[in-house]
Amino acid sequence: MTTNLMSGGQLVVAALRAHRVDMAFSVAGESYLEVLDALFDAPDIHLVTCRQEGGAAFMAEAYGKLTGKPGVLLVTRGPGACNASIGIHTAFQDSTPMVVLVGQVARHQLDREAFQEVDFRRMFSPLAKWVAQIDMAERVPELINQAFQIAVSGRPGPVVLALPEDMLRDRCAAAVAGPYRAVRAHPGAADLGELHRLLAAAERPMMLVGGSGWSDLACRDIAGFAQANDLPVCCSFRRQDIIDNRLPCFVGDLGTGASPALVARFKQVDLLLAVGARIGEITSQSYSLLGIPEPGKVLVHVHASAEELGRVFRPTLAIQSGMPEFASAAAALPPVTSLRWSSWRVAARAEYEAGLVPSPSPKGGLLDLGEIMGWLRDRLPDDAIVTSDAGNFSGWPNRFLQYRRPGRQLGPTSGAMGYGVPAAVAAKLVHPDRLVVGFCGDGGFMMTGQELATAGLEGMGPIILVFNNTMYGTIRMHQERRFPGRVVGTALKNPDFLALARAYEVFGASVTRTAEFVPAFEEAASRSQAAIIELKMDPEMITTRATLSDIRRQAAERQTERVEA
Ligand SMILES: Cc1ncc(C[n+]2csc(CCOP(=O)(O)OP(=O)(O)O)c2C)c(N)n1
Ligand SMILES: [Mg+2]
């Protein structure tokens, strides 16, 4: 009789299989040995052994962003969960489906502050969509099913399940259920009619696409709708891959380094059709582009979650819908006739194209990053996956590369440093045949660069570009703006990146002059292993548009003006 019984740990793995999990990211812990042991018998789940839970969590997040399926993360109790929290927060802010399984102390020891005990419901309540603890092995199938349903439905996000270690040892007979089915709303016919009517009355419309949940087909559909109506389209922060940037309707992104021309134009928009974007702090340029709560323009807001609609900005028309559902309905709408905004769209596109031309490097700079990005823009295949860490260096790929599907841009809209390398490793694991390039600053690279050892263990790897300006450049820029000349806490001393590449047994190159980049990149691209290409920057090149001296001078001028006033 006992042969039909399964342990809680075996049930967890059986449930993951029922939800068609093919990959999971982990750092091992004694708190969930039963789950690990059950994975020994599940070769269809590729278990990726990572080097730090922050990296593992970023990998699971990137997997979720890339595939639309929940990224699965397994970590141990207190210390593992604490390390993992950065990736869980990123999944929350980025609306990425993710299922986190955390080991927990035995049930009879709870609430004594036992070894590594943390109350995960309290710890993760503002960081996750849902947190629960599985206290009975019999309930593993039910609660894992609930976790997957919640992670993917409505506004996707991370869920956390705590697994007490004695529960994982309990044996019981229970049937697993799956696979999950994402529940998403559809736009109603009346809403679509109203959208059409509002659009037909507009003079200077703009579509803003962003958020998560975009399938390749949904991206094609929304592009078809934009082109049929000659609508200019911009993207929210780090969501540039939703629309093919080469299309004449694409007019730029509203990220941290948004083009001043686009920001100025956005202020003249009379109808904003925001699809999928929450219109968060970065995208709204510190909430300066729209009034709160009355936006001051016609706002049609389409979002997967009812809670987001009207939360900050009061829309003229709110449409709760999943992205594939809205995009296919929009594509089927009859185009608005007698368009009044073609010259408006043409002018916005011309401004975007003008922004692709880099400003000359600051005097003395040997490395022309604009030229290098221009070369990469042409070189990257249509299905290339670009990952990005957080920092000022990301202005170069954001401004100068052109994104599109099936290629992807994977970046943390949460602004979490340390994302670039793990996301690139995860992307390469999902698509070993594609070119994956990770963009990192020297600061962010050093936070999670050790996941190159995970790539080594997996026998493959991405190309990592390290923008070395020997500083936390973003913060140095803010320092020079607010406290000119008072540099503190932002200077770095880096390791020898070539020696580091050798230590990881990957290809390494250090690029000081523009001409050295192409051979280094081609060499890296010809290998299946990972590569580190260091770009030795002139520290003056602090953004794609301004030098450090420009910023210091402008700050000093502002101070003089204040004194004179
Ligand atoms: C985990 C984390 N810690 C701190 C910050 C604050 N922060 C934002 S950008 C930045 C500096 C980034 O430095 P680097 O990676 O070298 O890129 P750079 O700005 O120099 O191009 C810091 C410290 C953050 N966003 N994330
Ligand atoms: Mg730096």
Side-chain angles (χ1 to χ4, degrees), residues 509-536:
S510 185
V511 172
T512 314
R513 292 165 193 276
T514 311
E516 294 161 3
F517 181 77
V518 174
F521 187 88
E522 292 300 3
E523 177 66 39
S526 71
R527 300 174 180 229
S528 58
Q529 306 297 316
I532 300 174
I533 302 179
E534 174 194 18
L535 300 170
K536 284 197 163 168

PDB file of all heavy atoms in Angstrom, residues 509-536:
ATOM      1  N   ALA A 509      38.436  40.161 -23.615  1.00  0.00           N
ATOM      2  CA  ALA A 509      39.095  41.191 -24.416  1.00  0.00           C
ATOM      3  C   ALA A 509      38.899  42.523 -23.717  1.00  0.00           C
ATOM      4  O   ALA A 509      37.878  42.745 -23.062  1.00  0.00           O
ATOM      5  CB  ALA A 509      38.505  41.244 -25.824  1.00  0.00           C
ATOM      6  N   SER A 510      39.894  43.372 -23.836  1.00  0.00           N
ATOM      7  CA  SER A 510      39.799  44.699 -23.253  1.00  0.00           C
ATOM      8  C   SER A 510      39.919  45.699 -24.393  1.00  0.00           C
ATOM      9  O   SER A 510      40.895  45.680 -25.135  1.00  0.00           O
ATOM     10  CB  SER A 510      40.919  44.889 -22.234  1.00  0.00           C
ATOM     11  OG  SER A 510      40.760  46.119 -21.606  1.00  0.00           O
ATOM     12  N   VAL A 511      38.898  46.521 -24.545  1.00  0.00           N
ATOM     13  CA  VAL A 511      38.831  47.420 -25.700  1.00  0.00           C
ATOM     14  C   VAL A 511      39.056  48.856 -25.244  1.00  0.00           C
ATOM     15  O   VAL A 511      38.299  49.380 -24.435  1.00  0.00           O
ATOM     16  CB  VAL A 511      37.457  47.275 -26.392  1.00  0.00           C
ATOM     17  CG1 VAL A 511      37.275  48.319 -27.466  1.00  0.00           C
ATOM     18  CG2 VAL A 511      37.298  45.872 -26.967  1.00  0.00           C
ATOM     19  N   THR A 512      40.104  49.456 -25.759  1.00  0.00           N
ATOM     20  CA  THR A 512      40.418  50.848 -25.407  1.00  0.00           C
ATOM     21  C   THR A 512      40.092  51.778 -26.565  1.00  0.00           C
ATOM     22  O   THR A 512      39.747  52.930 -26.368  1.00  0.00           O
ATOM     23  CB  THR A 512      41.928  50.980 -25.071  1.00  0.00           C
ATOM     24  OG1 THR A 512      42.281  49.896 -24.213  1.00  0.00           O
ATOM     25  CG2 THR A 512      42.224  52.280 -24.367  1.00  0.00           C
ATOM     26  N   ARG A 513      40.273  51.275 -27.788  1.00  0.00           N
ATOM     27  CA  ARG A 513      40.037  52.093 -28.988  1.00  0.00           C
ATOM     28  C   ARG A 513      38.882  51.496 -29.800  1.00  0.00           C
ATOM     29  O   ARG A 513      38.720  50.278 -29.838  1.00  0.00           O
ATOM     30  CB  ARG A 513      41.280  52.100 -29.885  1.00  0.00           C
ATOM     31  CG  ARG A 513      42.437  52.826 -29.287  1.00  0.00           C
ATOM     32  CD  ARG A 513      43.733  52.505 -30.015  1.00  0.00           C
ATOM     33  NE  ARG A 513      44.847  52.965 -29.224  1.00  0.00           N
ATOM     34  CZ  ARG A 513      45.304  54.217 -29.234  1.00  0.00           C
ATOM     35  NH1 ARG A 513      44.753  55.100 -30.039  1.00  0.00           N
ATOM     36  NH2 ARG A 513      46.298  54.578 -28.452  1.00  0.00           N
ATOM     37  N   THR A 514      38.160  52.370 -30.454  1.00  0.00           N
ATOM     38  CA  THR A 514      36.964  51.965 -31.205  1.00  0.00           C
ATOM     39  C   THR A 514      37.256  50.790 -32.144  1.00  0.00           C
ATOM     40  O   THR A 514      36.486  49.819 -32.175  1.00  0.00           O
ATOM     41  CB  THR A 514      36.440  53.170 -32.014  1.00  0.00           C
ATOM     42  OG1 THR A 514      36.374  54.287 -31.137  1.00  0.00           O
ATOM     43  CG2 THR A 514      35.067  52.899 -32.593  1.00  0.00           C
ATOM     44  N   ALA A 515      38.372  50.866 -32.844  1.00  0.00           N
ATOM     45  CA  ALA A 515      38.653  49.854 -33.874  1.00  0.00           C
ATOM     46  C   ALA A 515      38.870  48.468 -33.275  1.00  0.00           C
ATOM     47  O   ALA A 515      38.782  47.457 -33.980  1.00  0.00           O
ATOM     48  CB  ALA A 515      39.884  50.268 -34.682  1.00  0.00           C
ATOM     49  N   GLU A 516      39.166  48.401 -31.992  1.00  0.00           N
ATOM     50  CA  GLU A 516      39.426  47.085 -31.382  1.00  0.00           C
ATOM     51  C   GLU A 516      38.136  46.323 -31.083  1.00  0.00           C
ATOM     52  O   GLU A 516      38.161  45.131 -30.805  1.00  0.00           O
ATOM     53  CB  GLU A 516      40.198  47.258 -30.060  1.00  0.00           C
ATOM     54  CG  GLU A 516      41.603  47.810 -30.231  1.00  0.00           C
ATOM     55  CD  GLU A 516      42.165  48.394 -28.933  1.00  0.00           C
ATOM     56  OE1 GLU A 516      41.492  48.327 -27.874  1.00  0.00           O
ATOM     57  OE2 GLU A 516      43.280  48.941 -28.995  1.00  0.00           O
ATOM     58  N   PHE A 517      37.003  47.022 -31.139  1.00  0.00           N
ATOM     59  CA  PHE A 517      35.764  46.379 -30.694  1.00  0.00           C
ATOM     60  C   PHE A 517      35.299  45.270 -31.640  1.00  0.00           C
ATOM     61  O   PHE A 517      34.978  44.161 -31.199  1.00  0.00           O
ATOM     62  CB  PHE A 517      34.639  47.410 -30.513  1.00  0.00           C
ATOM     63  CG  PHE A 517      33.362  46.760 -30.035  1.00  0.00           C
ATOM     64  CD1 PHE A 517      33.216  46.379 -28.705  1.00  0.00           C
ATOM     65  CD2 PHE A 517      32.321  46.476 -30.917  1.00  0.00           C
ATOM     66  CE1 PHE A 517      32.065  45.738 -28.261  1.00  0.00           C
ATOM     67  CE2 PHE A 517      31.158  45.842 -30.475  1.00  0.00           C
ATOM     68  CZ  PHE A 517      31.040  45.479 -29.143  1.00  0.00           C
ATOM     69  N   VAL A 518      35.272  45.558 -32.942  1.00  0.00           N
ATOM     70  CA  VAL A 518      34.688  44.598 -33.891  1.00  0.00           C
ATOM     71  C   VAL A 518      35.425  43.251 -33.846  1.00  0.00           C
ATOM     72  O   VAL A 518      34.780  42.191 -33.694  1.00  0.00           O
ATOM     73  CB  VAL A 518      34.632  45.194 -35.315  1.00  0.00           C
ATOM     74  CG1 VAL A 518      34.174  44.145 -36.317  1.00  0.00           C
ATOM     75  CG2 VAL A 518      33.674  46.385 -35.328  1.00  0.00           C
ATOM     76  N   PRO A 519      36.772  43.243 -33.933  1.00  0.00           N
ATOM     77  CA  PRO A 519      37.428  41.927 -33.865  1.00  0.00           C
ATOM     78  C   PRO A 519      37.160  41.203 -32.540  1.00  0.00           C
ATOM     79  O   PRO A 519      36.968  39.981 -32.530  1.00  0.00           O
ATOM     80  CB  PRO A 519      38.925  42.245 -34.015  1.00  0.00           C
ATOM     81  CG  PRO A 519      39.058  43.706 -34.170  1.00  0.00           C
ATOM     82  CD  PRO A 519      37.704  44.335 -34.235  1.00  0.00           C
ATOM     83  N   ALA A 520      37.104  41.962 -31.442  1.00  0.00           N
ATOM     84  CA  ALA A 520      36.847  41.314 -30.139  1.00  0.00           C
ATOM     85  C   ALA A 520      35.446  40.702 -30.128  1.00  0.00           C
ATOM     86  O   ALA A 520      35.252  39.557 -29.699  1.00  0.00           O
ATOM     87  CB  ALA A 520      36.988  42.337 -29.007  1.00  0.00           C
ATOM     88  N   PHE A 521      34.473  41.443 -30.648  1.00  0.00           N
ATOM     89  CA  PHE A 521      33.093  40.947 -30.629  1.00  0.00           C
ATOM     90  C   PHE A 521      32.959  39.719 -31.530  1.00  0.00           C
ATOM     91  O   PHE A 521      32.332  38.729 -31.164  1.00  0.00           O
ATOM     92  CB  PHE A 521      32.123  42.057 -31.072  1.00  0.00           C
ATOM     93  CG  PHE A 521      30.685  41.664 -30.906  1.00  0.00           C
ATOM     94  CD1 PHE A 521      30.018  41.895 -29.709  1.00  0.00           C
ATOM     95  CD2 PHE A 521      29.991  41.027 -31.936  1.00  0.00           C
ATOM     96  CE1 PHE A 521      28.691  41.503 -29.542  1.00  0.00           C
ATOM     97  CE2 PHE A 521      28.664  40.641 -31.777  1.00  0.00           C
ATOM     98  CZ  PHE A 521      28.012  40.880 -30.576  1.00  0.00           C
ATOM     99  N   GLU A 522      33.563  39.786 -32.715  1.00  0.00           N
ATOM    100  CA  GLU A 522      33.445  38.659 -33.648  1.00  0.00           C
ATOM    101  C   GLU A 522      34.105  37.406 -33.087  1.00  0.00           C
ATOM    102  O   GLU A 522      33.602  36.297 -33.250  1.00  0.00           O
ATOM    103  CB  GLU A 522      34.015  39.019 -35.022  1.00  0.00           C
ATOM    104  CG  GLU A 522      33.210  40.086 -35.784  1.00  0.00           C
ATOM    105  CD  GLU A 522      31.749  39.681 -36.080  1.00  0.00           C
ATOM    106  OE1 GLU A 522      31.299  38.603 -35.663  1.00  0.00           O
ATOM    107  OE2 GLU A 522      31.036  40.483 -36.720  1.00  0.00           O
ATOM    108  N   GLU A 523      35.233  37.609 -32.407  1.00  0.00           N
ATOM    109  CA  GLU A 523      35.892  36.456 -31.782  1.00  0.00           C
ATOM    110  C   GLU A 523      34.968  35.844 -30.716  1.00  0.00           C
ATOM    111  O   GLU A 523      34.789  34.633 -30.641  1.00  0.00           O
ATOM    112  CB  GLU A 523      37.227  36.920 -31.158  1.00  0.00           C
ATOM    113  CG  GLU A 523      37.997  35.840 -30.414  1.00  0.00           C
ATOM    114  CD  GLU A 523      38.510  34.733 -31.330  1.00  0.00           C
ATOM    115  OE1 GLU A 523      38.951  35.037 -32.441  1.00  0.00           O
ATOM    116  OE2 GLU A 523      38.447  33.543 -30.914  1.00  0.00           O
ATOM    117  N   ALA A 524      34.372  36.736 -29.889  1.00  0.00           N
ATOM    118  CA  ALA A 524      33.469  36.260 -28.833  1.00  0.00           C
ATOM    119  C   ALA A 524      32.273  35.530 -29.441  1.00  0.00           C
ATOM    120  O   ALA A 524      31.853  34.475 -28.950  1.00  0.00           O
ATOM    121  CB  ALA A 524      32.994  37.434 -27.977  1.00  0.00           C
ATOM    122  N   ALA A 525      31.735  36.096 -30.538  1.00  0.00           N
ATOM    123  CA  ALA A 525      30.525  35.515 -31.157  1.00  0.00           C
ATOM    124  C   ALA A 525      30.817  34.169 -31.804  1.00  0.00           C
ATOM    125  O   ALA A 525      29.910  33.356 -31.986  1.00  0.00           O
ATOM    126  CB  ALA A 525      29.946  36.488 -32.179  1.00  0.00           C
ATOM    127  N   SER A 526      32.087  33.931 -32.132  1.00  0.00           N
ATOM    128  CA  SER A 526      32.426  32.672 -32.810  1.00  0.00           C
ATOM    129  C   SER A 526      32.532  31.516 -31.814  1.00  0.00           C
ATOM    130  O   SER A 526      32.706  30.371 -32.203  1.00  0.00           O
ATOM    131  CB  SER A 526      33.748  32.831 -33.568  1.00  0.00           C
ATOM    132  OG  SER A 526      34.811  32.907 -32.628  1.00  0.00           O
ATOM    133  N   ARG A 527      32.476  31.823 -30.524  1.00  0.00           N
ATOM    134  CA  ARG A 527      32.637  30.767 -29.513  1.00  0.00           C
ATOM    135  C   ARG A 527      31.307  30.432 -28.858  1.00  0.00           C
ATOM    136  O   ARG A 527      30.417  31.268 -28.797  1.00  0.00           O
ATOM    137  CB  ARG A 527      33.604  31.244 -28.420  1.00  0.00           C
ATOM    138  CG  ARG A 527      34.970  31.577 -28.976  1.00  0.00           C
ATOM    139  CD  ARG A 527      35.836  32.165 -27.906  1.00  0.00           C
ATOM    140  NE  ARG A 527      37.145  32.472 -28.473  1.00  0.00           N
ATOM    141  CZ  ARG A 527      38.294  32.114 -27.917  1.00  0.00           C
ATOM    142  NH1 ARG A 527      38.292  31.461 -26.779  1.00  0.00           N
ATOM    143  NH2 ARG A 527      39.432  32.431 -28.489  1.00  0.00           N
ATOM    144  N   SER A 528      31.219  29.230 -28.330  1.00  0.00           N
ATOM    145  CA  SER A 528      29.972  28.861 -27.640  1.00  0.00           C
ATOM    146  C   SER A 528      30.051  29.206 -26.157  1.00  0.00           C
ATOM    147  O   SER A 528      29.043  29.324 -25.483  1.00  0.00           O
ATOM    148  CB  SER A 528      29.673  27.378 -27.823  1.00  0.00           C
ATOM    149  OG  SER A 528      30.761  26.638 -27.330  1.00  0.00           O
ATOM    150  N   GLN A 529      31.277  29.380 -25.644  1.00  0.00           N
ATOM    151  CA  GLN A 529      31.432  29.720 -24.229  1.00  0.00           C
ATOM    152  C   GLN A 529      31.127  31.208 -24.021  1.00  0.00           C
ATOM    153  O   GLN A 529      31.002  31.962 -24.977  1.00  0.00           O
ATOM    154  CB  GLN A 529      32.869  29.450 -23.771  1.00  0.00           C
ATOM    155  CG  GLN A 529      33.346  28.045 -24.045  1.00  0.00           C
ATOM    156  CD  GLN A 529      32.541  27.002 -23.283  1.00  0.00           C
ATOM    157  OE1 GLN A 529      32.267  27.178 -22.118  1.00  0.00           O
ATOM    158  NE2 GLN A 529      32.135  25.938 -23.957  1.00  0.00           N
ATOM    159  N   ALA A 530      31.054  31.594 -22.758  1.00  0.00           N
ATOM    160  CA  ALA A 530      30.823  32.998 -22.443  1.00  0.00           C
ATOM    161  C   ALA A 530      32.045  33.842 -22.817  1.00  0.00           C
ATOM    162  O   ALA A 530      33.126  33.306 -23.084  1.00  0.00           O
ATOM    163  CB  ALA A 530      30.526  33.146 -20.956  1.00  0.00           C
ATOM    164  N   ALA A 531      31.828  35.145 -22.850  1.00  0.00           N
ATOM    165  CA  ALA A 531      32.931  36.072 -23.122  1.00  0.00           C
ATOM    166  C   ALA A 531      32.715  37.343 -22.319  1.00  0.00           C
ATOM    167  O   ALA A 531      31.576  37.746 -22.079  1.00  0.00           O
ATOM    168  CB  ALA A 531      32.984  36.391 -24.615  1.00  0.00           C
ATOM    169  N   ILE A 532      33.835  37.918 -21.894  1.00  0.00           N
ATOM    170  CA  ILE A 532      33.778  39.235 -21.235  1.00  0.00           C
ATOM    171  C   ILE A 532      34.542  40.206 -22.133  1.00  0.00           C
ATOM    172  O   ILE A 532      35.719  39.985 -22.431  1.00  0.00           O
ATOM    173  CB  ILE A 532      34.464  39.210 -19.847  1.00  0.00           C
ATOM    174  CG1 ILE A 532      33.791  38.200 -18.911  1.00  0.00           C
ATOM    175  CG2 ILE A 532      34.462  40.603 -19.218  1.00  0.00           C
ATOM    176  CD1 ILE A 532      34.527  38.018 -17.567  1.00  0.00           C
ATOM    177  N   ILE A 533      33.861  41.248 -22.579  1.00  0.00           N
ATOM    178  CA  ILE A 533      34.554  42.302 -23.329  1.00  0.00           C
ATOM    179  C   ILE A 533      34.466  43.574 -22.502  1.00  0.00           C
ATOM    180  O   ILE A 533      33.376  44.111 -22.268  1.00  0.00           O
ATOM    181  CB  ILE A 533      33.937  42.519 -24.729  1.00  0.00           C
ATOM    182  CG1 ILE A 533      33.987  41.223 -25.535  1.00  0.00           C
ATOM    183  CG2 ILE A 533      34.659  43.650 -25.444  1.00  0.00           C
ATOM    184  CD1 ILE A 533      33.378  41.324 -26.937  1.00  0.00           C
ATOM    185  N   GLU A 534      35.624  44.011 -22.028  1.00  0.00           N
ATOM    186  CA  GLU A 534      35.668  45.237 -21.233  1.00  0.00           C
ATOM    187  C   GLU A 534      35.786  46.436 -22.170  1.00  0.00           C
ATOM    188  O   GLU A 534      36.599  46.429 -23.086  1.00  0.00           O
ATOM    189  CB  GLU A 534      36.890  45.191 -20.298  1.00  0.00           C
ATOM    190  CG  GLU A 534      37.117  46.474 -19.534  1.00  0.00           C
ATOM    191  CD  GLU A 534      38.495  46.537 -18.873  1.00  0.00           C
ATOM    192  OE1 GLU A 534      39.404  45.766 -19.273  1.00  0.00           O
ATOM    193  OE2 GLU A 534      38.662  47.364 -17.973  1.00  0.00           O
ATOM    194  N   LEU A 535      34.949  47.444 -21.956  1.00  0.00           N
ATOM    195  CA  LEU A 535      35.043  48.680 -22.733  1.00  0.00           C
ATOM    196  C   LEU A 535      35.603  49.743 -21.798  1.00  0.00           C
ATOM    197  O   LEU A 535      34.936  50.166 -20.849  1.00  0.00           O
ATOM    198  CB  LEU A 535      33.653  49.096 -23.238  1.00  0.00           C
ATOM    199  CG  LEU A 535      32.958  48.077 -24.141  1.00  0.00           C
ATOM    200  CD1 LEU A 535      31.503  48.457 -24.384  1.00  0.00           C
ATOM    201  CD2 LEU A 535      33.683  47.974 -25.468  1.00  0.00           C
ATOM    202  N   LYS A 536      36.843  50.121 -22.033  1.00  0.00           N
ATOM    203  CA  LYS A 536      37.483  51.099 -21.143  1.00  0.00           C
ATOM    204  C   LYS A 536      37.018  52.494 -21.535  1.00  0.00           C
ATOM    205  O   LYS A 536      37.438  53.047 -22.548  1.00  0.00           O
ATOM    206  CB  LYS A 536      39.003  50.989 -21.252  1.00  0.00           C
ATOM    207  CG  LYS A 536      39.534  49.783 -20.524  1.00  0.00           C
ATOM    208  CD  LYS A 536      41.019  49.913 -20.279  1.00  0.00           C
ATOM    209  CE  LYS A 536      41.431  48.916 -19.217  1.00  0.00           C
ATOM    210  NZ  LYS A 536      42.818  48.724 -19.060  1.00  0.00           N
TER     211      LYS A 536
END
